[in-house]
């Protein structure tokens, strides 16, 4: 790589291995990378209104308490839907792993977000990436058993903003967070934290192994972390954003928000648009073809991460990917889109083939990357485009 990004590190389980490692994260983390990427892309004018709306939300959300789908949270709701939010629970691995899903929206661009729940051998629940704590959500969680552990899997705001509410609700639960989860100025406070992943051994480590990918300023423009987890008993890889499976149809929970806030089923055309726009791909009048190319992959790396972030942390990312692929997983669950989905270590490596100069599980066409290229160059400098990740499209 032509422009090293400093001296972050790869954290593996309770051990720490010094390496240079990655900065990444457009969706959620309030970094220069994220803010710039948003401003670079078409049809994102309404996103600016989200930032303005957050200030008003801070003052108004105290009234959101009443119904089952209204908020139990004391703090702000950062994304629509703001008045009520439906929660859908699905069993992902029989009797062992569940996903609780809600919607996060940027007006007509919306996606599902999933909190992962694992039942440990002592019957207690391991809860990863707390979502908005509506009464409905909390009741669905409590019906599975006692909450024993709360985990923040990375630096993405949407996966950590509800931690303080959950830790107050479950005062006996241990709380472990990824490094960098304390976030930037303006992030909601995390509340009580018992340990940082990679700086100690969590009480659940004998059943769920973990590897953390982390980088932070001043070496890089923004803070990024994602922890991959491996549930040994079920041979399941638990991810947040690293590799996702694109479903052919819109996730069921999106019907609770519809296209622009009115509950209804999405058409295929609307789902294609939402997915492509949420990933900042150029909308070039052939949404179905572009969507299906992504959906046919066994697992795919977000185009945002691939093209605006990994080029400046390529070697470091590859070390983490190689380490994760040492686990003998046979399926994966993730914080967005479809879950569970079949995934082997080789499939995981294939999704990141671009890090090694090899074909990946999905390869775009040049016209899809116009805005991502502009964002990468403006945010990280022209040298970012010298990475081999950009070679086929320069």
């Amino acid at each position: 790589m032509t422009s090293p990004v400093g001296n972050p590190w790869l954290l593996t389980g309770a051990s720490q291995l010094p390496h240079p490692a990655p900065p990444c994260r457009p969706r959620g983390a309030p970094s220069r990378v994220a803010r710039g990427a948003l401003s670079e892309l078409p049809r994102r004018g309404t996103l600016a209104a989200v930032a303005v709306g957050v200030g008003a939300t801070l003052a108004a959300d105290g009234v959101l308490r009443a119904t089952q789908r209204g908020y139990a949270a004391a703090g702000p709701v950062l994304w629509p839907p703001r008045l009520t939010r439906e929660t859908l629970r699905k069993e992902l691995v029989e009797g062992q792993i569940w996903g609780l899903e809600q919607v996060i929206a940027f007006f007509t661009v919306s996606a599902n977000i999933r909190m992962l729940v694992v039942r440990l051998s002592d019957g207690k629940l391991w809860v990863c990436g707390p979502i908005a704590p509506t009464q409905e959500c909390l009741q669905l969680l409590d019906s599975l058993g006692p909450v024993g552990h709360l985990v923040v899997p990375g630096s993405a705001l949407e996966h950590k903003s509800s931690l303080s509410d959950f830790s107050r609700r479950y005062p006996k639960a241990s709380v472990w967070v990824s490094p960098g989860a304390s976030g930037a100025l303006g992030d909601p406070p995390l509340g009580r934290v018992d340990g940082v992943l990679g700086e100690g051994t969590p009480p659940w480590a004998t059943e769920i192994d973990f590897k953390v990918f982390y980088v932070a300023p001043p070496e890089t423009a923004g803070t990024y972390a994602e922890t991959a987890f491996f549930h040994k008993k079920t041979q399941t890889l638990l991810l947040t954003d690293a590799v996702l499976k694109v479903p052919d149809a819109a996730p069921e929970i999106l019907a609770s928000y519809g296209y622009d806030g009115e509950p209804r089923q999405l058409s295929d055309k609307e789902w294609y648009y939402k997915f492509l726009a949420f990933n900042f791909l150029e909308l070039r009048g052939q949404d179905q073809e572009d969507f299906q190319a992504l959906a046919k992959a066994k697992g795919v790396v977000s185009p945002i991460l691939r093209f605006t972030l990994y080029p400046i942390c390529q070697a470091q990312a590859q070390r983490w990917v190689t380490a994760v692929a040492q686990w003998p997983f046979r399926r994966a669950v993730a914080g967005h889109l479809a879950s569970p989905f079949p995934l082997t270590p080789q499939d995981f490596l294939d999704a990141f083939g671009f890090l090694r100069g090899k074909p990946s599980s999905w390869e775009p066409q040049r016209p899809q990357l116009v805005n991502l290229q502009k964002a990468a160059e403006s945010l990280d400098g022209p040298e970012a485009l010298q990475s081999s990740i950009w070679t086929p499209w320069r």
Side-chain angles (χ1 to χ4, degrees), residues 320-344:
W320 180 71
V321 167
T322 300
V324 171
Q326 300 306 304
W327 287 326
F329 50 87
R330 55 194 180 91
R331 68 167 71 88
V333 296
H336 301 280
L337 299 179
S339 283
F341 55 99
L343 195 76
T344 66

Side-chain angles (χ1 to χ4, degrees), residues 119-170:
R119 180 177 288 147
L120 300 178
S121 59
D122 63 1
K124 293 182 179 179
L125 304 178
W126 180 91
V127 178
C128 184
I131 54 178
T134 64
Q135 294 298 335
E136 180 180 49
C137 173
L138 297 173
Q139 289 174 7
L140 288 170
L141 178 61
D142 290 341
S143 68
L144 295 175
V147 173
H149 312 281
L150 300 170
V151 179
V152 169
S155 55
L157 184 57
E158 66 267 32
H159 297 289
K160 67 183 181 181
S161 61
S162 295
L163 176 64
S164 61
D165 290 309
F166 271 73
S167 63
R168 284 192 296 269
R169 168 83 179 207
Y170 304 104

Side-chain angles (χ1 to χ4, degrees), residues 243-256:
V243 172
L244 303 172
K245 174 58 182 172
V246 182
D248 292 329
E252 182 180 352
I253 191 64
L254 290 189
S256 68

